[in-house]
Amino acid sequence: MSGTHAHSAAFVRGEMLPQKPAPASEAGALKWLRENLFSGPINTLMTLIGLYIVLHFGIEAAPWFLHSVWNAGSLSECRQIITETWGPDATGACWAVVKERWSQFIFGFYPWELIWRPVLTFALLFVALAPVLFSFVPRKLLAFSVVYPLLAIWLLWGGSPWVEIMIALGFVIGAVAYRVMEPRNTLVAALLAVILPLIFWGYISGPLDELFEQTIPLAITKVPSDAFGGFLLSVTLGVGGIALSLPLGIMLALGRQSDMLLVKALSVGFIEFIRGVPLVTLLFVASLLLNYFLPPGTNFDIILRVEILVTLFASAYIAEVIRGGLAALPRGQYEAADALGLEYWKAQRLIILPQALKISIPGIVSTFIGMFKDTTLVVFVGLFDPLKGITDIVRADFNWKGIYWEPYIFTGTIFFIFCFSMSRYSMYLERKLKRDHR
């Protein structure tokens, strides 16, 4: 009996075994390949087909890139260098056109002696965006983010800064009026925040602007809108459209869900009309028809007209994206806001909109990316976008006549960098705002 008990006794280890490495198939590159590229028959087949396509085009395009020429004064000189170096049947990219005309692709026809102004504006853009996009940046910089749009307009177009100062002063008057009246009556405060700036801009800012221009002249060299082009034009329209269309889209989304019939009807009508009309049509309206509705002799800048129509176009799509986010919220969130006794705007600002915007991040960023790429359509109204306008001008030069792929590849690469950066930031923001751990 004791012998049987001795043989059946469990063995208890008194020390821990050293940790062993995971099997090769369950760690590192092999695990990633197995899970992502060869997880099943269909996935394996698609991986092999994809590799074949990539290798085929890579082998075909490799000589063209490897035989690139960066130093030449014309396309014929590029071809001569390629022939002398790699033989008469060789082909190669002539990146010399990008090296020689890069300033036009980036700045259009902006005066070269004033090129420091768009460079400074672009550098300050990152300073203005930093506290908006990243929480670790000091919030005190938000004051500069508010001032930056008017500063950028003055730096890019030049002239007297008093026009921009008067615009800023109007917003300050509206903000002060809202802050003073908001504790007493929110509706009256909102009306005053709109009416008082309009009165100031319509009747007071003009004489004040003239007075300050005569007494304290601070003007810098003016640059006409015709000089804008390339990525300077695309970034100006894109950043302006993004900054303006988001708040307008939020208001349209809230208006579409409003219980007030007139507000809802106007919001729905605007959204459906804009979404049902091509952007090119709206650009032609901005270029040709808008002047017919203005007083004779009115000088309405073409870039400003295009900016307004691009903003309206993007805001209609953003409104629908945000409406989807609002509809995705559980009814309990609205009931919780009512239970806390919050009025409509406080409930939207503190509870509803933060959650709806979080849900809508992918759609909003997709709309922004599409709008930034659509800035190339301004070529149809006589502006020099980087893809078609500047490229056609470069190709019209006798020295570069016949060049084709290089300008488009260069322009497409820059667009990809901008759009890919926006996409990655949206993914970063989604991960940061994620609170559930499912």
Side-chain angles (χ1 to χ4, degrees), residues 182-206:
E182 194 267 341
R184 304 175 186 176
N185 191 310
T186 304
L187 179 61
V188 174
L191 290 174
L192 288 177
V194 175
I195 294 173
L196 290 181
L198 292 177
I199 294 174
F200 175 79
W201 291 328
Y203 299 99
I204 303 174
S205 64

Side-chain angles (χ1 to χ4, degrees), residues 361-375:
I361 286 173
I364 292 173
V365 175
S366 296
T367 303
F368 287 162
I369 291 174
M371 182 192 66
F372 181 66
K373 292 187 294 185
D374 285 343
T375 56

Side-chain angles (χ1 to χ4, degrees), residues 212-229:
F212 283 117
E213 282 187 17
Q214 294 174 359
T215 55
I216 312 175
L218 299 174
I220 57 178
T221 305
K222 284 188 177 183
V223 177
S225 294
D226 295 341
F228 283 65

Side-chain angles (χ1 to χ4, degrees), residues 281-301:
T281 304
L282 297 178
L283 293 177
F284 278 120
V285 170
S287 175
L288 303 174
L289 299 181
L290 201 59
N291 280 337
Y292 290 106
F293 300 97
L294 298 173
T298 302
N299 184 17
F300 199 178
D301 188 86

Side-chain angles (χ1 to χ4, degrees), residues 149-216:
L150 296 176
L151 176 62
I153 293 173
W154 179 59
L155 285 173
L156 290 176
W157 275 271
S160 172
W162 293 111
V163 176
E164 287 76 17
I165 293 174
M166 292 299 119
I167 295 174
L169 188 56
F171 284 115
V172 170
I173 292 173
V176 171
Y178 182 84
R179 182 65 63 88
V180 172
M181 291 300 300
E182 194 267 341
R184 304 175 186 176
N185 191 310
T186 304
L187 179 61
V188 174
L191 290 174
L192 288 177
V194 175
I195 294 173
L196 290 181
L198 292 177
I199 294 174
F200 175 79
W201 291 328
Y203 299 99
I204 303 174
S205 64
L208 279 180
D209 179 26
E210 294 179 2
L211 176 63
F212 283 117
E213 282 187 17
Q214 294 174 359
T215 55
I216 312 175

